[in-house]
Every structure is written in structure tokens, then in C-alpha cells.
């Protein structure tokens, strides 16, 4: 056991806790401090800046899940695809740093394809902003037959690993796949330039060692995973998303593209090139380690490869590269963990790769980009490019020298999955520094069952299939663990090669609050609890029923004839269908907060929507006249992920902020205002304050988070006092539904990040935290007995009411739209929008 790691972690946690204030909030909760390595991604700081209309337009044009999947072409190598050339863009932020502008990458790759038979480039998708995403494969030439043989071996490794292990031809001739992902954060540029340098060397080197390496290997490079951010100099993509937080959700085209690459290439090792941490940082990471990994197979390769990369950067001779930080070796538990499957390398581990994040050292973005002289920026970028290239080269060397062990590890990972074997206990000292603090494991269930027939179930099944999780459907009725299931219900048999990925997506998760003092990013997520589908777990028994493989799920449209139709708003797709009908001028009526009635004359339109979105219309009761419903006009001071979710649900939204309102933006015609980011009532100038007060006298408000709570208090809307949990607290929580607007029919779980709860009287409690609220995640008190889950238990998490000004308001202390992930919570949020808009009042 490495005691220094544990003691350092405890100290960091105490400092972080001491930095927090758990008093009622009047502004956004503060970050908890912690070590300098901590990067919150898109957590509580989502309160600070309102997203722009640009992100909303992109989201509306390409909602999550849209677009075709990339499938590799069944050809040999080289493929000689001429990449289309993007227009020259002299505003590209890369140019100031002396790096490749995005528009220069395709010509470079085209030129390399012309001079070398080792290089193949292709387009694997488009970014949120419509830019091409490139995949480069560098390998010795292969005929179509040779490439097909490699594909058969790759499939055998996954589908029959025991046979793959016995196959001597495979052992001798299977080409080692290596994947390099660069520039996933747009303003962390140099991974692209380092990768291009390595591609060019491999393409043109005449030495025997390079030739032999490429005869035995394929190097796959996604040259820039975020061209939108590269051009704009932003961390996020064009839709405002951090792609390196999206891999479990796959809301963005960039994350879907690399998902398809990792599945199709099945790399043995991968690097994700980032920046900037002062000293080069090379994973493996600190505890907590993902409990669904085959961690022994990972760490015995990841640590020596990291040491090799460290040696490679030291050989560069720069003072700034004299050493690297290897979190597993050098950091305290929780400082830089590999717990959630949202990061590229962590996701890749579940796909059979040994994954590493690499952070190049010298900052050239944000304030440095603006304030440093160009000469200094270019000096730093040159060193960073050297580091990126050196870590890639070291990994290629490691993969070549340790090909047999890496291949055996991937085969063994998939074999354990098929066999349903428990993961072995990793002993202390398994690698230098491994101790009890590193030991995380789980007991895999025998199967999951997802009852079919709803849009949420079909969405979840399709999502699993897209991630290469095996899903089957029962061909007859069956009973499992005392529950009756029907023909067509989905089964995820956990005897499958990628059981770790299946489990990490479907399981509830784990409360790890007592195990580490802090976490790098989110610690809880669950498609099983938050995606709106019922997911049943069978711990020990497999379903005894014949099954068929599922390649795509759908809900059979069943729209009654001759009567008005009812639609209950339980899913975001239901909301989308209602908004589509309203946009088409259909006279929709509302009966209560959660049900709408569609006239019989609109059956054809309803049937089309049922087929498109999988929504289920039923026959309306004859005594349900309802109240006319109009499509609400929404103004939103919100984060990019919230705008994205609103676009998915089909809402018409105009973006606002303190700045736009102070500059003269109007709220005329708006029905409901969303306040969750970048809008302060007290910071409005006199004219904007008057505009806001006029609106608040007639319109509705929906708030989220500290910014929303501060707005509620300053504007005097509901007499609810918001209390903040610790700023980095996050995870899946149990809730008790009590209200008629948000609460009715909502799931029994929600998601929190920087949770709030509300005290006081004079409002309706829509939802309360459960008696032991944290199901999975990390939520510590800010001080002994203060602001933790114990204090939140039973408190109001969502409240509604009529404001002192005469409008309606709903205040969320939870995160129903966070990163477009908790899709099962969308409808409850949408019901709040319809209700506060004042439409459908009865």
C-alpha cells in the first residue's frame, strides 16, 4: 500500500471541505477547491455563462442520435480517398500558435496519400458544426483479401476468444491495432500536430524497423476529434458540449464517430492527447478505479507504457519535460480518477483497449492565448508538439514490443465476459504501488431485462446495440425471478464479451463518498435508472426462453381510430410529438399537467409521429374536453446542454442573458423564462429590470441551480429558501414524487450536481429527496453534519407555485437535463415549462 497517496488524499479532502460554505444560497455555489489538477468540465460552472443561440441552432438542426453510423469500407489498404477541402479560414485560432489550421489538414493528408502507400484517410462523420472528421490509418499495404482476414480475426477475438487464443495464424499474423485520438478539447491543439508528425514519419521512413512495424500493426488516428473547437479556440464543440464527458451518453456526433472507430478497429492500446497541466501528465489514473474493469489486465500494461512515455519525453531534453506526472504513481486517491465511463480512454477500456489520457504541459489557451507574446506561445506549442509526438512514438514502440501480451489481455477480457467469470482479486504489489486503495470490483449480474413497448425501452436497447452490447429479444413469454415477461422484451445476457460496458451503463452505481475525499468529475450515472425505461436485474438466474438477436428496436405504432387521442407526457419523445402537433396547428388540448388530447381528425399526423418517435397514443375519455394548449415561447438563460435537450424536445427557444437584456433584448411574446446560467436579476440595468418586471407580472419562470435560486430570491418569486449541498456533490438520487406538475408520473430517481433543496412555506413541493437520497455518486457534507445527503433527506428538491407577481414558477434543485444524459427526466421538466407558460390553465 502506498500510504503517501492515501494521506495526501485525506488532506486534500479536508481542505476542500473547509473551503465550502453550506449556508442558504444567494448565488451559484462555489467550486470546492482541491488540487491544481482538478478540472470540473461542465459541472457547477454551467451557472456562470449562458449559452448562445448558435448552440441552440446546432442542436435543433442535429438532435442527439441523428445521422448515420460510420462503418469501415470492406477494402484493403491503401484506400486513396481524396478528402474534400474545406474553405480557408484565416480566423482559425491554431494559426497564431504556428500549428495546423483545420483547413490545412485535409491537403496535408491528401499529399501524404499521394506519396506513400502506407497512408489511408477517410471521413468518418461530421462535427456538430458540420466539419469533416478524419480517420487516418497507417499500415503496410494489404489486399482486400488480407484486410478481410484481419477483420475475421478481429471478430473471432471478440466472439470466440477461446478459439482466438488457440489460433496460431492469428497469434502470428494479426496486425496490432493502435488508436490515437487528438484534439478532443478544441483549445488543446498540439495532439493533432504531434500525430501528423508521426503519421508523416511512418509514411516516409525507409528504415527496416518501421517497415516491419507497419507489416505487423495498424495505426489509426482521429486527427482532430473537435474541429469546431480547434477553429474557435474553445474546449467545447460547436454545440457547446465537452465531448470528453459524452461517451456514455453519445449525444454528440464527435463522440459517436469515435465510438464507431473504437468498435470497428478494436485497438489494443489507445492515447487521448490533451493539455495543459504544467507538467506532462500520463495516465493510468488514481483510485477510484471503475469497478467494472478487468483492472489487472489493464494496469499491468498501462503502467509500464506510461513509464515508457515518461522516458520518451525526458529524452527530448527540454527543461519542461524532465519528468511526468503519472497519477497512479504520483497523485492522491480522487485527484485524477478513472471511475466514470464518460472519458475517451475509460470508455475504450470497456472496448478492450489499454487507454491513456496524455496531458501536454505548457498552457497556450484561455488567458495565455490572449496575453502571452506570439513568440512565447509558439515556443510552448513547439514543446507541446514534441511531447505529443514523443508519447505517441513511445506507445507505438511499446505496442510493437509487447504485442503478444496486449493481444492476450484483450482476448482474456472478452473470454471472462463470455464465461461469466468473476474478476480476479488483484493482490497488493501486483504492479509497483498497487494497494488496497486501488481495489475496486463488482459482482456482475446474470442478466438484465428491459420490458419492451415504450420509446424509452427502444431508445435504451438501440443505445446499447450502438455501443456493441449484445441485446436479444424473447421469442415467447417467460418468467424470471417471479416476474412475468412478454414476447419481444429485451434481454441483456451478461455472459458476453463487453459485459463491463453493459454493466457500467445499466447498473445503479455505487455511493463512493466514504472511499475518496473528492472526485475529478461525475461519480454517478445510470441508464437503468435515468433513461426512462424499466430495467430489471436478475442477479443469478438467466432467462429460460429462446431469443433472437436485436439489431434495432422500435415501438409498433398503435393509434386508435374514430376517437380523440390521449398522450401522457412521460418521455421526451412524447413532448417532441406534442410540440410537432402544435407547430403544425393541431388543436391540442391539455387535461391536467401530464396529459394532452389530440382531436380525432389529426389521427394521420399522430400516426406519423407514433412511427417516428415511438410514442403511444390511446383513446381519450369522452369526458376529457381539456383546455386549449398553445406552443409556448421560451426564453432561456441556460447552459448549452439544456438548450440541446430543449431542442430535442422540439421547443421554440430564444436565448437571453444579463448581457443581452442589458443591451436591449426584449421578453415580448415570451411565455416562460428559464433561468439557470448567466442571468442575474440584480445585475440588470434600469431598462432591463423594467422589461423583466413587466414580464414577471404575466409570465412563468423555471429555474435550476444556484443561478436560478439567486434569481428567485432577488426577484421575489416564491418564498423558498435554497440550501446548497457541497459544490462538487453529484450523482443519482432517490426522490419521492408529491406534486401534480413535475411529480406526477415521474421516475423515482433524479440526478444532482451541486444539489439544492428548498425550505419554507407558501409553495407546493413537487418532489422530495428520499430518506437516504444518494444511490450512486459522491456527496460529502461541507462540514460535520452540514449540507450532506443526510441533511437533504426528505427536503424539497423541486417546488412550484404562483409567484408574488402573479405568474407561475418551478424551481429545480436537481439536474433534469444535465449533459443531455438523464433522458427519463425530460418530460417532467417539459411539464414545468407548459405549466409555467400559463397555457392550458383550467
Amino acid at each position: 500500500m502506498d500510504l503517501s497517496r492515501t494521506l495526501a488524499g485525506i488532506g486534500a479532502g479536508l481542505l476542500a471541505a473547509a473551503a465550502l460554505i453550506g449556508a442558504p444560497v444567494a448565488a451559484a455555489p462555489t467550486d470546492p477547491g482541491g488540487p491544481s489538477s482538478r478540472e470540473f468540465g461542465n459541472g457547477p460552472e454551467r451557472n456562470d455563462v449562458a449559452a448562445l443561440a448558435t448552440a441552440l441552432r446546432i442542436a435543433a438542426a442535429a438532435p442527439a442520435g441523428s445521422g448515420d453510423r460510420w462503418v469501415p469500407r470492406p477494402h484493403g489498404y491503401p484506400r486513396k480517398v481524396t478528402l474534400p477541402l474545406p474553405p480557408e479560414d484565416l480566423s482559425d485560432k491554431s494559426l497564431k500558435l504556428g500549428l495546423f489550421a483545420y483547413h490545412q489538414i485535409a491537403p496535408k493528408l491528401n499529399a501524404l496519400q499521394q506519396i506513400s502507400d502506407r497512408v489511408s484517410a477517410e471521413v468518418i462523420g461530421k462535427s456538430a458544426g458540420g466539419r469533416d472528421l478524419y480517420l487516418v490509418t497507417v499500415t503496410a499495404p494489404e489486399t482486400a483479401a488480407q484486410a478481410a482476414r484481419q477483420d475475421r480475426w478481429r471478430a473471432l477475438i471478440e466472439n470466440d476468444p477461446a478459439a482466438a487464443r488457440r489460433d496460431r495464424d492469428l497469434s502470428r499474423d494479426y496486425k496490432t491495432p493502435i488508436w490515437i485520438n487528438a484534439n478532443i478539447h478544441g483549445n488543446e491543439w498540439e495532439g493533432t500536430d504531434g500525430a501528423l508528425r508521426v503519421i508523416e514519419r511512418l509514411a516516409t521512413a525507409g528504415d527496416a524497423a518501421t517497415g516491419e512495424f507497419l507489416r505487423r500493426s495498424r495505426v489509426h488516428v482521429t486527427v482532430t476529434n473537435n474541429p469546431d473547437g480547434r477553429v474557435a479556440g474553445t474546449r467545447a464543440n460547436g454545440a457547446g458540449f465537452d465531448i470528453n464527458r459524452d461517451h456514455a451518453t453519445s449525444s454528440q456526433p464527435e463522440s459517436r464517430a469515435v465510438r464507431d472507430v473504437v468498435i470497428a478497429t478494436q485497438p489494443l492500446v489507445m492515447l487521448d492527447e490533451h493539455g495543459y497541466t504544467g507538467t506532462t501528465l500520463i495516465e493510468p489514473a488514481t483510485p477510484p478505479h471503475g469497478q467494472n474493469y478487468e483492472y489487472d489486465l489493464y494496469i499491468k500494461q498501462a503502467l509500464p507504457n506510461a513509464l515508457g512515455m515518461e522516458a520518451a519525453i525526458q529524452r527530448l531534453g527540454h527543461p519542461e519535460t524532465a519528468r511526468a506526472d503519472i497519477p497512479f504513481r504520483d497523485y492522491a486517491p480522487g485527484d485524477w480518477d478513472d471511475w466514470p465511463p464518460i472519458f475517451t480512454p475509460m470508455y475504450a477500456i470497456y472496448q478492450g483497449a489499454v487507454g491513456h489520457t496524455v496531458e501536454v504541459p505548457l498552457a497556450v489557451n484561455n488567458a495565455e492565448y490572449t496575453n502571452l507574446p506570439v513568440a512565447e506561445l509558439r515556443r510552448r506549442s513547439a514543446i507541446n508538439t514534441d511531447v505529443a509526438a514523443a508519447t505517441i512514438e513511445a506507445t507505438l514502440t511499446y505496442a510493437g514490443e509487447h504485442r503478444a501480451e496486449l493481444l492476450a489481455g484483450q482476448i482474456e477480457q472478452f473470454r471472462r465476459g463470455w464465461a461469466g467469470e468473476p474478476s480476479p482479486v488483484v493482490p497488493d504489489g501486483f504492479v509497483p504501488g498497487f494497494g488496497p486503495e486501488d481495489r475496486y470490483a463488482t459482482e456482475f449480474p446474470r442478466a438484465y431485462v428491459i420490458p419492451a413497448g415504450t420509446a424509452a425501452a427502444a431508445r435504451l436497447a438501440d443505445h446499447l446495440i450502438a455501443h456493441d452490447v449484445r441485446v436479444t429479444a424473447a421469442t415467447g413469454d417467460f418468467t424470471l425471478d417471479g416476474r412475468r415477461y412478454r414476447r419481444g422484451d429485451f434481454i441483456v445476457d451478461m455472459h458476453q464479451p463487453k459485459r463491463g460496458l453493459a454493466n457500467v451503463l445499466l447498473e445503479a452505481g455505487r455511493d463512493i463518498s466514504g472511499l475518496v475525499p473528492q472526485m475529478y468529475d461525475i461519480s454517478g450515472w445510470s441508464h437503468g435508472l435515468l433513461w426512462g425505461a424499466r430495467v430489471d436485474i436478475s442477479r443469478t438466474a438467466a432467462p429460460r426462453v429462446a431469443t433472437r438477436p436485436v439489431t434495432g428496436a422500435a415501438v409498433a405504432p398503435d393509434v386508435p381510430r374514430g376517437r380523440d387521442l390521449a398522450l401522457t407526457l412521460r418521455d421526451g419523445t412524447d413532448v417532441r410529438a406534442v410540440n410537432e402537433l402544435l407547430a403544425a396547428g393541431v388543436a391540442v388540448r391539455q387535461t391536467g399537467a401530464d396529459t394532452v388530447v389530440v382531436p380525432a381528425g389529426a389521427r394521420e399526423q399522430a400516426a406519423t409521429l407514433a412511427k417516428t418517435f415511438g410514442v403511444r397514443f390511446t383513446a381519450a375519455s369522452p369526458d376529457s374536453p381539456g383546455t386549449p394548449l398553445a406552443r409556448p415561447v421560451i426564453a432561456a438563460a441556460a447552459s448549452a446542454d439544456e438548450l440541446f435537450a430543449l431542442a430535442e424536445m422540439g421547443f421554440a427557444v430564444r436565448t437571453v442573458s444579463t448581457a443581452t437584456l442589458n443591451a436591449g433584448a426584449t421578453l415580448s411574446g415570451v411565455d416562460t423564462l428559464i433561468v439557470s446560467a448567466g442571468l442575474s436579476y440584480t445585475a440588470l440595468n434600469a431598462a432591463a429590470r423594467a422589461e423583466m418586471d413587466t414580464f414577471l407580472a404575466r409570465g412563468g419562470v423555471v429555474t435550476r441551480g444556484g443561478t436560478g435560486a439567486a434569481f428567485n430570491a432577488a426577484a421575489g418569486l416564491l418564498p423558498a429558501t435554497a440550501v446548497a449541498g457541497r459544490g462538487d456533490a453529484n450523482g443519482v438520487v432517490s426522490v419521492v414524487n408529491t406534486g401534480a406538475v413535475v411529480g406526477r408520473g415521474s421516475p423515482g430517481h433524479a440526478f444532482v450536481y451541486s444539489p439544492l433543496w428548498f425550505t419554507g412555506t407558501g409553495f407546493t413541493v413537487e418532489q422530495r429527496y428520499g430518506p437516504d437520497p444518494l444511490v450512486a455518486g459522491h456527496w460529502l457534507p461541507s462540514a460535520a453534519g452540514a449540507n450532506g445527503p443526510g441533511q437533504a433527506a426528505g427536503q424539497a428538491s423541486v417546488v412550484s407555485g404562483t409567484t408574488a407577481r402573479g405568474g407561475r414558477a418551478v424551481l429545480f434543485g436537481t439536474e433534469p437535463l444535465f449533459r443531455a444524459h438523464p433522458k427519463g427526466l425530460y418530460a417532467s421538466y417539459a411539464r414545468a415549462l407548459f405549466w409555467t407558460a400559463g397555457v392550458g390553465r383550467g
Side-chain angles (χ1 to χ4, degrees):
M1 176 179 177
D2 187 342
L3 188 60
S4 65
R5 295 166 68 198
T6 303
L7 293 176
I10 293 171
L14 292 174
L15 289 173
L20 294 172
I21 299 175
V25 299
T30 57
D31 291 347
S36 60
S37 64
R38 191 169 179 84
E39 164 58 65
F40 275 85
N42 353 339
E45 81 283 2
R46 293 159 67 244
N47 292 304
D48 296 340
V49 179
L52 302 176
T54 303
L56 180 65
R57 287 196 298 272
I58 289 173
S66 65
D68 295 330
R69 291 194 61 183
W70 174 75
V71 178
R73 300 168 64 188
H75 298 304
Y77 293 99
R79 295 179 175 177
K80 299 295 186 183
V81 176
T82 301
L83 300 174
L85 303 183
E88 183 178 66
D89 184 354
L90 297 181
S91 70
D92 190 311
K93 300 295 186 182
S94 313
L95 292 169
K96 182 178 179 179
L97 303 172
L99 302 173
F100 274 93
Y102 172 72
H103 64 260
Q104 295 171 331
I105 295 172
K108 176 70 173 179
L109 296 176
N110 285 339
L112 287 173
Q113 290 186 100
Q114 288 299 312
I115 66 171
S116 174
D117 62 1
R118 299 170 174 175
V119 179
S120 298
E122 56 194 305
V123 174
I124 55 171
K126 289 189 179 293
S127 69
R131 294 180 172 89
D132 287 340
L133 303 171
Y134 307 126
L135 173 68
V136 176
T137 300
V138 189
T139 191
E142 299 173 23
T143 67
Q146 289 170 330
R149 190 184 195 202
Q150 293 292 323
D151 290 343
R152 288 194 298 272
W153 279 332
R154 176 176 47 78
L156 187 68
I157 290 167
E158 180 179 352
N159 297 328
D160 193 348
R165 186 163 57 183
R166 295 190 302 268
D167 191 320
R168 293 182 180 179
D169 291 340
L170 185 156
S171 178
R172 182 185 64 246
D173 295 332
Y174 181 61
K175 284 190 168 185
T176 303
I178 304 150
W179 174 39
I180 310 300
N181 191 49
N183 199 205
I184 191 170
H185 290 148
N187 62 354
E188 298 168 11
W189 289 271
E190 292 92 347
T192 294
D193 297 78
L196 287 170
R197 181 185 297 177
V198 175
I199 291 169
E200 184 165 13
R201 185 194 70 77
L202 294 174
T204 58
D207 61 289
T210 299
E212 178 62 18
F213 171 78
L214 292 176
R215 279 189 290 274
R216 297 177 61 81
S217 309
R218 287 178 178 172
V219 181
H220 305 284
V221 184
T222 36
V223 180
T224 169
N225 194 194
N226 184 1
D228 298 347
R230 184 175 188 84
V231 171
T234 59
R235 178 183 179 92
N237 71 348
F241 272 71
D242 185 334
I243 307 165
N244 201 40
R245 304 294 186 270
D246 191 51
H247 289 289
T249 305
S250 299
S251 72
Q252 298 304 295
E254 296 91 344
S255 62
R256 294 195 294 273
V258 296
R259 170 203 66 193
D260 296 344
V261 167
V262 71
I263 291 171
T265 64
Q266 206 166 289
L268 300 183
V269 63
M270 71 84 57
L271 300 185
D272 203 29
E273 294 282 347
H274 289 253
Y276 307 96
T277 48
T279 301
T280 303
L281 181 145
I282 304 169
E283 290 177 338
T286 70
H289 306 300
Q291 64 185 10
N292 291 284
Y293 297 144
E294 303 298 332
Y295 196 72
D296 61 318
L297 302 176
Y298 169 76
I299 192 61
K300 73 178 180 181
Q301 303 295 340
L303 184 57
N305 189 35
L307 294 171
M309 286 188 268
E310 180 181 46
I313 69 164
Q314 290 172 330
R315 287 193 294 271
L316 293 172
H318 301 298
E320 297 90 343
T321 63
R323 60 176 296 272
D325 285 338
I326 299 175
F328 178 86
R329 181 189 68 186
D330 301 326
Y331 285 8
D335 282 5
W336 191 287
D337 65 273
D338 58 17
W339 178 254
I342 58 175
F343 310 116
T344 319
M346 280 68 259
Y347 176 77
I349 294 172
Y350 293 112
Q351 295 287 355
V354 174
H356 301 261
T357 296
V358 174
E359 302 269 354
V360 299
L362 303 177
V364 295
N365 60 359
N366 302 328
E368 286 82 0
Y369 186 94
T370 302
N371 297 330
L372 290 178
V374 171
E376 172 60 13
L377 289 172
R378 293 191 173 190
R379 185 192 74 84
R380 292 185 177 196
S381 284
I383 294 173
N384 290 336
T385 301
D386 288 347
V387 170
T391 55
I392 294 169
E393 293 280 14
T395 292
L396 300 186
T397 299
Y398 184 87
E401 294 176 350
H402 297 270
R403 171 187 174 278
E405 303 99 294
L406 288 164
L407 177 59
Q410 188 179 83
I411 290 173
E412 173 63 9
Q413 177 175 333
F414 295 157
R415 188 201 66 79
R416 289 178 189 175
W418 280 115
E421 291 182 0
S423 299
V425 176
V426 185
D428 290 355
F430 180 74
V431 296
F434 187 96
E437 70 276 11
D438 294 297
R439 195 170 291 116
Y440 285 80
T442 192
E443 293 185 10
F444 294 104
R446 184 60 185 82
Y448 289 93
V449 181
I450 305 169
T454 65
R459 175 178 58 232
L460 181 54
D462 279 340
H463 186 80
L464 294 170
I465 294 163
H467 286 262
D468 204 28
V469 172
R470 313 296 172 94
V471 180
T472 61
T475 59
D477 296 349
F478 65 100
T479 300
L480 180 65
D481 292 340
R483 295 190 181 101
R484 293 286 298 166
Y485 297 97
R486 298 177 65 99
R487 177 178 179 271
D489 285 348
F490 303 117
I491 298 170
V492 181
D493 188 323
M494 290 295 287
H495 286 194
Q496 62 170 290
K498 296 177 182 177
R499 64 172 179 182
L501 181 58
N503 209 47
V504 79
L505 295 178
L506 291 174
E507 70 176 351
R510 179 176 176 182
D511 179 356
I512 58 172
S513 306
L515 302 178
V516 291
Q518 63 176 356
M519 288 290 289
Y520 182 78
D521 199 85
I522 65 167
S523 327
W525 62 91
S526 175
H527 295 37
L529 296 180
L530 297 178
W531 272 42
R534 180 180 137 198
V535 178
D536 295 337
I537 306 172
S538 177
R539 292 291 175 190
T540 58
R544 301 183 64 181
V545 63
T547 63
R548 58 174 177 81
V550 178
T551 57
V555 179
D558 181 16
V559 182
R561 296 180 179 274
R563 292 176 57 179
D564 288 352
L565 305 170
L567 179 61
T568 303
L569 305 183
R570 291 287 182 265
D571 191 78
T573 55
D574 300 325
V575 179
R576 177 67 179 267
V578 170
N579 278 323
E580 294 280 348
L581 289 168
L582 292 172
V586 175
V588 176
R589 309 188 304 276
Q590 188 170 27
T591 60
D594 66 340
T595 304
V596 300
V597 175
V598 180
R603 183 188 181 281
E604 183 176 342
Q605 290 150 293
T608 298
L609 293 169
K611 183 177 181 180
T612 302
F613 299 117
V615 298
R616 300 292 297 270
F617 290 92
T618 60
S621 172
D623 58 352
S624 301
T627 306
L629 181 66
R631 191 183 190 198
V633 176
I634 297 170
S639 58
D641 53 344
E642 291 171 309
L643 295 183
F644 196 90
L646 292 167
E648 282 191 274
M649 291 186 282
F651 283 106
V653 180
R654 69 175 76 159
T655 57
V656 296
S657 65
T658 303
T660 63
L661 290 168
N662 283 343
T666 178
L667 296 173
S668 175
V670 170
D671 298 306
T672 281
L673 172 67
I674 297 171
V675 182
S676 59
L679 178 53
S680 166
Y681 183 82
T682 57
L684 295 175
N685 61 32
R689 181 82 61 87
E691 175 75 9
M692 180 63 70
D693 289 342
T694 299
F695 166 78
L696 293 175
R698 61 170 179 80
V701 178
V702 174
T703 75
R704 187 244 344 137
T707 292
F711 184 90
N712 174 72
L717 302 180
L718 297 183
T721 299
V723 182
R726 186 169 132 153
D728 64 342
N730 72 90
V732 181
V733 294
S734 64
V735 293
V736 178
N737 293 299
T738 56
V741 178
V742 173
R744 179 176 296 168
S746 289
H749 296 89
F751 186 81
V752 294
Y753 202 134
S754 300
L756 301 179
W757 57 94
F758 302 99
T759 62
T761 59
F763 49 79
T764 297
V765 176
E766 293 284 342
Q767 210 172 63
R768 295 184 184 276
Y769 289 109
D772 185 13
L774 188 63
V775 173
H778 193 272
W779 184 353
L780 289 172
S782 57
N787 306 100
Q791 290 69 51
Q795 298 290 341
S797 58
V798 183
V799 300
S800 68
T802 300
T803 72
R805 299 166 181 259
R808 288 175 169 181
V810 176
L811 317 180
F812 282 87
T814 56
E815 290 274 357
L817 307 181
F818 185 77
R819 297 182 187 167
H821 171 64
K823 298 185 185 302
L825 311 182
Y826 282 15
S828 59
Y829 189 87
R831 294 197 299 269
L833 294 178
F834 284 127
W835 184 76
T836 55
V839 294
R841 295 184 182 181

